[in-house]
Amino acid sequence: MNLICQEYNYNLKEYTPFFAKFYEDKYQEEAIKVIVYDEDANNKVVGFFALFKWPYQLNNKTYNALKGVNAIVMPEYRGNGIFKKILTFIDENIKNTKNDFLIATPLSAA
């Protein structure tokens, strides 16, 4: 959570209970959280990406969708293909889920 708070300028003390409540809620059991560690730096968290349940309704039909949020790679680790590896991991593992599609809304930093 330190990484998220540093990147988005959140207060860690305030954000921690929100994060726990949101991702640990039964509704978000299908949420996917990808955490990237640097094993050579004592397992320092250097990247994070989450996809949470985001039902989408069109023409009275509800689709199972996941929305991507909190895509972060530490500045000093950027440019090394980490985010591409995260997306590849998601692509390889999303096939075994009940989701119809993924949604992402990029930030200006993207």
Side-chain angles (χ1 to χ4, degrees), residues 34-61:
V34 180
I35 302 167
V36 181
Y37 297 95
D38 181 346
E39 292 178 344
D40 295 330
N42 286 333
N43 291 326
K44 177 181 180 180
V45 176
V46 299
F48 180 81
F49 184 59
L51 292 154
F52 63 85
K53 189 173 179 177
W54 188 268
Y56 184 84
Q57 192 166 28
L58 179 65
N59 297 329
N60 295 322
K61 181 175 180 186

Short mmCIF file of all heavy atoms in Angstrom, two decimals, residues 34-61:
data_model
loop_
_atom_site.label_atom_id
_atom_site.label_comp_id
_atom_site.label_asym_id
_atom_site.label_seq_id
_atom_site.Cartn_x
_atom_site.Cartn_y
_atom_site.Cartn_z
N VAL A 34 -2.22 -8.02 -8.68
CA VAL A 34 -0.90 -8.45 -9.10
C VAL A 34 0.12 -7.57 -8.38
O VAL A 34 0.09 -6.35 -8.50
CB VAL A 34 -0.72 -8.32 -10.63
CG1 VAL A 34 0.67 -8.77 -11.05
CG2 VAL A 34 -1.79 -9.10 -11.36
N ILE A 35 0.99 -8.22 -7.64
CA ILE A 35 2.03 -7.51 -6.90
C ILE A 35 3.37 -7.96 -7.46
O ILE A 35 3.64 -9.16 -7.56
CB ILE A 35 1.94 -7.81 -5.39
CG1 ILE A 35 0.56 -7.42 -4.86
CG2 ILE A 35 3.04 -7.08 -4.63
CD1 ILE A 35 0.26 -7.93 -3.47
N VAL A 36 4.22 -7.00 -7.80
CA VAL A 36 5.53 -7.30 -8.37
C VAL A 36 6.60 -7.00 -7.32
O VAL A 36 6.63 -5.89 -6.77
CB VAL A 36 5.80 -6.45 -9.63
CG1 VAL A 36 7.17 -6.79 -10.22
CG2 VAL A 36 4.69 -6.66 -10.66
N TYR A 37 7.45 -7.99 -7.06
CA TYR A 37 8.52 -7.87 -6.07
C TYR A 37 9.87 -7.86 -6.77
O TYR A 37 10.06 -8.53 -7.78
CB TYR A 37 8.51 -9.07 -5.11
CG TYR A 37 7.29 -9.20 -4.27
CD1 TYR A 37 6.23 -10.02 -4.67
CD2 TYR A 37 7.18 -8.53 -3.06
CE1 TYR A 37 5.10 -10.16 -3.89
CE2 TYR A 37 6.05 -8.67 -2.28
CZ TYR A 37 5.02 -9.48 -2.69
OH TYR A 37 3.91 -9.61 -1.92
N ASP A 38 10.81 -7.16 -6.18
CA ASP A 38 12.21 -7.25 -6.60
C ASP A 38 12.90 -8.15 -5.59
O ASP A 38 13.19 -7.73 -4.47
CB ASP A 38 12.86 -5.86 -6.64
CG ASP A 38 14.31 -5.90 -7.10
OD1 ASP A 38 14.90 -7.01 -7.15
OD2 ASP A 38 14.85 -4.83 -7.41
N GLU A 39 13.14 -9.39 -5.98
CA GLU A 39 13.76 -10.36 -5.06
C GLU A 39 15.16 -9.95 -4.66
O GLU A 39 15.63 -10.29 -3.57
CB GLU A 39 13.79 -11.75 -5.70
CG GLU A 39 12.42 -12.36 -5.87
CD GLU A 39 12.45 -13.71 -6.55
OE1 GLU A 39 13.49 -14.07 -7.16
OE2 GLU A 39 11.43 -14.41 -6.48
N ASP A 40 15.85 -9.22 -5.54
CA ASP A 40 17.22 -8.79 -5.24
C ASP A 40 17.27 -7.62 -4.26
O ASP A 40 18.34 -7.24 -3.80
CB ASP A 40 17.96 -8.40 -6.53
CG ASP A 40 18.13 -9.60 -7.45
OD1 ASP A 40 18.23 -10.74 -6.95
OD2 ASP A 40 18.16 -9.40 -8.68
N ALA A 41 16.12 -7.05 -3.95
CA ALA A 41 16.04 -5.92 -3.01
C ALA A 41 15.15 -6.28 -1.83
O ALA A 41 14.23 -5.54 -1.46
CB ALA A 41 15.53 -4.67 -3.72
N ASN A 42 15.38 -7.46 -1.26
CA ASN A 42 14.61 -7.93 -0.09
C ASN A 42 13.10 -7.95 -0.34
O ASN A 42 12.31 -7.54 0.50
CB ASN A 42 14.91 -7.09 1.14
CG ASN A 42 16.26 -7.41 1.72
OD1 ASN A 42 16.75 -8.52 1.56
ND2 ASN A 42 16.86 -6.44 2.39
N ASN A 43 12.71 -8.41 -1.52
CA ASN A 43 11.30 -8.51 -1.90
C ASN A 43 10.55 -7.19 -1.82
O ASN A 43 9.37 -7.14 -1.47
CB ASN A 43 10.58 -9.59 -1.08
CG ASN A 43 11.06 -10.97 -1.44
OD1 ASN A 43 11.37 -11.23 -2.60
ND2 ASN A 43 11.14 -11.85 -0.47
N LYS A 44 11.21 -6.13 -2.17
CA LYS A 44 10.62 -4.79 -2.21
C LYS A 44 9.50 -4.78 -3.26
O LYS A 44 9.67 -5.29 -4.38
CB LYS A 44 11.71 -3.79 -2.59
CG LYS A 44 11.25 -2.38 -2.75
CD LYS A 44 12.47 -1.53 -3.15
CE LYS A 44 12.09 -0.09 -3.33
NZ LYS A 44 13.28 0.70 -3.70
N VAL A 45 8.34 -4.24 -2.89
CA VAL A 45 7.23 -4.12 -3.84
C VAL A 45 7.55 -2.99 -4.81
O VAL A 45 7.75 -1.85 -4.41
CB VAL A 45 5.89 -3.85 -3.11
CG1 VAL A 45 4.77 -3.63 -4.12
CG2 VAL A 45 5.55 -5.00 -2.18
N VAL A 46 7.60 -3.33 -6.10
CA VAL A 46 7.97 -2.34 -7.12
C VAL A 46 6.87 -2.12 -8.15
O VAL A 46 6.97 -1.22 -8.99
CB VAL A 46 9.29 -2.72 -7.82
CG1 VAL A 46 10.43 -2.78 -6.81
CG2 VAL A 46 9.16 -4.02 -8.58
N GLY A 47 5.81 -2.92 -8.07
CA GLY A 47 4.71 -2.75 -9.00
C GLY A 47 3.42 -3.34 -8.45
O GLY A 47 3.44 -4.23 -7.60
N PHE A 48 2.31 -2.81 -8.94
CA PHE A 48 1.00 -3.27 -8.50
C PHE A 48 -0.01 -2.97 -9.58
O PHE A 48 0.06 -1.96 -10.27
CB PHE A 48 0.59 -2.56 -7.20
CG PHE A 48 -0.75 -2.99 -6.67
CD1 PHE A 48 -0.87 -4.16 -5.94
CD2 PHE A 48 -1.89 -2.25 -6.92
CE1 PHE A 48 -2.10 -4.58 -5.45
CE2 PHE A 48 -3.13 -2.66 -6.43
CZ PHE A 48 -3.23 -3.82 -5.70
N PHE A 49 -0.97 -3.88 -9.74
CA PHE A 49 -2.10 -3.66 -10.64
C PHE A 49 -3.26 -4.46 -10.10
O PHE A 49 -3.09 -5.60 -9.67
CB PHE A 49 -1.76 -4.10 -12.06
CG PHE A 49 -2.84 -3.82 -13.06
CD1 PHE A 49 -3.30 -2.52 -13.29
CD2 PHE A 49 -3.40 -4.84 -13.80
CE1 PHE A 49 -4.29 -2.26 -14.23
CE2 PHE A 49 -4.39 -4.59 -14.74
CZ PHE A 49 -4.83 -3.29 -14.96
N ALA A 50 -4.44 -3.88 -10.13
CA ALA A 50 -5.62 -4.58 -9.64
C ALA A 50 -6.74 -4.50 -10.68
O ALA A 50 -6.87 -3.52 -11.40
CB ALA A 50 -6.10 -3.98 -8.33
N LEU A 51 -7.51 -5.56 -10.72
CA LEU A 51 -8.73 -5.60 -11.52
C LEU A 51 -9.85 -5.97 -10.56
O LEU A 51 -9.80 -7.01 -9.91
CB LEU A 51 -8.62 -6.67 -12.61
CG LEU A 51 -7.63 -6.38 -13.72
CD1 LEU A 51 -7.14 -7.66 -14.35
CD2 LEU A 51 -8.26 -5.48 -14.76
N PHE A 52 -10.85 -5.10 -10.44
CA PHE A 52 -11.94 -5.42 -9.53
C PHE A 52 -13.25 -5.55 -10.29
O PHE A 52 -13.39 -5.09 -11.42
CB PHE A 52 -12.05 -4.42 -8.36
CG PHE A 52 -12.38 -3.01 -8.76
CD1 PHE A 52 -13.68 -2.61 -8.95
CD2 PHE A 52 -11.37 -2.07 -8.88
CE1 PHE A 52 -13.98 -1.31 -9.29
CE2 PHE A 52 -11.66 -0.76 -9.21
CZ PHE A 52 -12.97 -0.38 -9.43
N LYS A 53 -14.19 -6.21 -9.65
CA LYS A 53 -15.49 -6.50 -10.26
C LYS A 53 -16.19 -5.20 -10.61
O LYS A 53 -16.34 -4.30 -9.78
CB LYS A 53 -16.34 -7.33 -9.28
CG LYS A 53 -17.61 -7.86 -9.88
CD LYS A 53 -18.30 -8.80 -8.91
CE LYS A 53 -19.58 -9.32 -9.50
NZ LYS A 53 -20.23 -10.27 -8.60
N TRP A 54 -16.63 -5.11 -11.88
CA TRP A 54 -17.26 -3.90 -12.39
C TRP A 54 -18.33 -4.31 -13.40
O TRP A 54 -18.12 -4.26 -14.62
CB TRP A 54 -16.19 -3.02 -13.06
CG TRP A 54 -16.62 -1.67 -13.46
CD1 TRP A 54 -17.12 -1.29 -14.68
CD2 TRP A 54 -16.58 -0.48 -12.68
NE1 TRP A 54 -17.38 0.05 -14.70
CE2 TRP A 54 -17.05 0.57 -13.47
CE3 TRP A 54 -16.19 -0.21 -11.37
CZ2 TRP A 54 -17.15 1.87 -13.00
CZ3 TRP A 54 -16.28 1.08 -10.91
CH2 TRP A 54 -16.75 2.10 -11.72
N PRO A 55 -19.49 -4.77 -12.92
CA PRO A 55 -20.54 -5.23 -13.84
C PRO A 55 -20.92 -4.12 -14.83
O PRO A 55 -20.97 -2.94 -14.47
CB PRO A 55 -21.72 -5.55 -12.93
CG PRO A 55 -21.12 -5.73 -11.58
CD PRO A 55 -19.91 -4.84 -11.53
N TYR A 56 -21.15 -4.52 -16.05
CA TYR A 56 -21.48 -3.58 -17.13
C TYR A 56 -22.81 -3.99 -17.72
O TYR A 56 -23.03 -5.17 -18.03
CB TYR A 56 -20.39 -3.64 -18.19
CG TYR A 56 -20.57 -2.65 -19.30
CD1 TYR A 56 -20.14 -1.35 -19.17
CD2 TYR A 56 -21.18 -3.04 -20.50
CE1 TYR A 56 -20.29 -0.43 -20.19
CE2 TYR A 56 -21.34 -2.13 -21.54
CZ TYR A 56 -20.90 -0.83 -21.37
OH TYR A 56 -21.07 0.07 -22.39
N GLN A 57 -23.72 -3.02 -17.84
CA GLN A 57 -25.05 -3.34 -18.35
C GLN A 57 -25.27 -2.63 -19.68
O GLN A 57 -25.01 -1.44 -19.83
CB GLN A 57 -26.13 -2.93 -17.35
CG GLN A 57 -27.48 -3.49 -17.68
CD GLN A 57 -28.45 -3.37 -16.53
OE1 GLN A 57 -28.33 -2.47 -15.71
NE2 GLN A 57 -29.40 -4.26 -16.46
N LEU A 58 -25.76 -3.39 -20.66
CA LEU A 58 -26.06 -2.87 -21.98
C LEU A 58 -27.28 -3.60 -22.52
O LEU A 58 -27.31 -4.84 -22.52
CB LEU A 58 -24.85 -3.08 -22.91
CG LEU A 58 -25.02 -2.61 -24.35
CD1 LEU A 58 -25.18 -1.09 -24.41
CD2 LEU A 58 -23.82 -3.04 -25.19
N ASN A 59 -28.27 -2.84 -22.94
CA ASN A 59 -29.50 -3.44 -23.49
C ASN A 59 -30.10 -4.49 -22.56
O ASN A 59 -30.43 -5.59 -22.97
CB ASN A 59 -29.24 -4.05 -24.87
CG ASN A 59 -28.81 -3.00 -25.87
OD1 ASN A 59 -29.21 -1.84 -25.80
ND2 ASN A 59 -27.98 -3.41 -26.81
N ASN A 60 -30.22 -4.12 -21.29
CA ASN A 60 -30.81 -4.98 -20.26
C ASN A 60 -30.06 -6.29 -20.02
O ASN A 60 -30.62 -7.23 -19.46
CB ASN A 60 -32.28 -5.27 -20.56
CG ASN A 60 -33.12 -4.02 -20.49
OD1 ASN A 60 -32.90 -3.15 -19.64
ND2 ASN A 60 -34.09 -3.91 -21.39
N LYS A 61 -28.83 -6.36 -20.47
CA LYS A 61 -28.01 -7.53 -20.18
C LYS A 61 -26.82 -7.07 -19.35
O LYS A 61 -26.18 -6.07 -19.65
CB LYS A 61 -27.51 -8.19 -21.46
CG LYS A 61 -26.67 -9.42 -21.17
CD LYS A 61 -26.26 -10.17 -22.40
CE LYS A 61 -25.42 -11.36 -21.94
NZ LYS A 61 -24.84 -12.09 -22.99
#
